[in-house]
Amino acid sequence: MDQQRRIFLSNAGRLAALAAAGPALMGASSIVRAPGGVYPFSLGVASGSPLPDSVILWTRILGDPLDAAATPPGPVAVRWEVAEDQAFARLVAKGTASALPALAHSVHVDVTGLAPGRWYWYRFMLGDAVSPPGRTRTAPAPDSLPSMLKLVVASCQHWEFGSYAAHRHIASAAPDLVAFLGDYIYEWGPFHLAHPRKSVRSNECFTLDEYRARYAQYKSDPDLQSAHLAAPWIVTWDDHEVSNDYAADRDERLAPDFLLRRANAYQAFYEHMPLRMAPPRAGGFAHLRMYQRYDWGRLARFHVLDDRQYRAHQACQPPGRGGSSSVVRSGCDELLDARRSMLGGEQEAWLASGLGSSQARWNIIAQQTPMAQSSQTSIITPRDGRFWTDGWDGYPLARQRLFDTLRASGAANPIVLAGDVHSFYASELKSDFQRAASAANPVIATEFCGTSVTSNSRAQARTQRYVDFNAHVKFGRSDRRGYMLMEFTPSRTTTHFMALDDVRDPGSAVGTLATFQVAHGQPGVNQA
């Protein structure tokens, strides 16, 4: 038996343990297999995009994560159930969904008619096979003010750079909701079912089948599956779901057929996420609207952004290639071109509308990369500073428009969430980052950036230099992997930076690296 098969069987055993977690649910057996002996739920199940009366359920029919050809070529009828209890004695909804080969035999079920603000259990069935039971919940009623929302924020989980121990701890935290801010997959790496000890750049994805295989590899991990089983997810994407540092219609290679590659990647993303959207018609994955809005009663409104699909190309790109670089502000006039946008005009207007109409106590802007200015050198005059062009520092006037929108909207307590840079940061957002906060230059919002689940980062000494160069960045750590655990109440937000002891160890412990609080009506970083 080869190593890949041993790993597959080991993971299948752990999946069986998940399915057997509730004896009343599964009886005396664990997993019951479909005809032919192949278990069809090798990628687990998931839920997401919760509304007060509905939630999206997801699975993909695939017997072997390394062999999509083993799945029957035609449509497959998949049964599903939703219940008030883990034993599935009190069903509230059930039905049958068609898993189509054109969408990789993925299933998206919009379960409607549910009660607001309560937990449910769900499962899928095919033949005699039963999936692990997932736990999900609906958003609270629109006019309610919940006492707390427990939110996990995660991003950047490169298979090559560690185990998914973080997801085991995310599941144990029993959050109400998980927000994943991008880089769910990375577009390169060997197709192994074990997390390797050493990274190897190979097998870069270009075709739809290659992206599908990459998602299957990642979603085969039992710890990632357990985090999906624990709570509904809200997701957006960043660059590596397609290719590193891509901007709208341009990649690093300046490939003439990049939009075809992007459409393949967008389709694979849709096929593997619990997204609330109708599948585009044939050929319709050239564009996919990802920005979305979710309310958690009157406690929180999520403004989930897409800063990849509509952005201007990075400023002052070196000749012959796309993507990012670091530039000195005085040598890159393009940075100050007011026509350049990170979100595109339509999304900017949508965000302004959502902020202006919000009655929520907390307005959570969930997006990809830090908004706080992060100069890589000290700044003496306004023309000084060296900046990375892929983040908001590469779009400073677009950032200023967003800050102006925040102030004009009157939206209460904006909290910006970010990922992408594989580091923990706690920062204060101001119109003028070079001046101290004052009545004329107030703190507009508080920003919390979470580190990566696995992806590596720069040395901590270099990160500390960046913190020292930017007074509004109050905390920065790039030497630890993990996630953020946040608690929102009507009176305050508490953010815990949760860090693994050893990202390479599947059994790694996790601990609180730092904790911050933001009081209602008092933006700013306050370390507890």
Side-chain angles (χ1 to χ4, degrees), residues 134 153 179 182 191 272 333-334 355 463 492:
V153 182
F191 286 106
H272 291 86
D333 292 339
E334 193 177 352
L355 290 167
T463 295
R492 71 183 60 252

Side-chain angles (χ1 to χ4, degrees), residues 158-244:
H158 201 306
W159 188 268
E160 297 280 295
F161 288 99
S163 72
Y164 284 171
H167 283 298
R168 176 168 50 84
H169 292 292
I170 288 171
S172 297
D176 296 304
L177 192 63
V178 175
F180 198 89
L181 302 183
D183 293 347
Y184 190 96
I185 64 163
Y186 282 66
E187 72 276 26
W188 59 266
F191 286 106
H192 295 307
L193 288 181
H195 296 274
R197 298 296 301 179
K198 184 178 180 181
S199 63
V200 178
R201 191 176 185 98
S202 65
N203 301 108
E204 187 159 353
C205 297
F206 294 92
T207 69
L208 178 57
D209 284 345
E210 288 167 344
Y211 281 108
R212 286 170 169 172
R214 187 69 68 202
Y215 279 99
Q217 175 189 26
Y218 279 53
K219 294 180 83 71
S220 71
D221 185 273
D223 290 328
L224 176 56
Q225 290 185 22
S226 71
H228 277 294
L229 290 173
W233 285 38
I234 292 174
V235 298
T236 189
W237 54 31
D238 198 11
D239 54 337
H240 286 286
E241 285 89 354
V242 182
S243 67
N244 182 54

Side-chain angles (χ1 to χ4, degrees), residues 311 342 369-370 388-395 420:
R311 64 159 67 189
M342 187 74 135
T369 196
W388 179 52
T389 60
D390 195 58
W392 282 95
D393 277 338
Y395 303 78
D420 184 40

Side-chain angles (χ1 to χ4, degrees), residues 33-35 38-41 59-63 68-80 95-109 124-130:
R33 301 189 183 277
V38 177
Y39 181 66
F41 302 109
T59 193
R60 178 185 171 193
I61 302 305
L62 186 64
T71 304
V76 177
V78 183
R79 307 187 315 279
W80 57 269
T96 301
S98 185
L100 302 175
L103 294 173
H105 291 96
S106 63
V107 176
H108 296 77
V109 178
F124 291 92
M125 294 157 287
L126 177 59
D128 292 330
V130 182

Side-chain angles (χ1 to χ4, degrees), residues 3 23 55 83 98 112 125 144 147 154 156 185 207 261 339 377 394 404 425 443 459 464 468 493 525:
Q3 183 183 19
V55 70
S98 185
T112 60
M125 294 157 287
S144 67
S147 60
C156 304
I185 64 163
T207 69
R261 179 187 185 184
R339 296 169 298 179
T377 61
D404 292 344
Y425 286 110
V443 176
Q464 187 58 50
D468 295 341
T493 291
V525 174

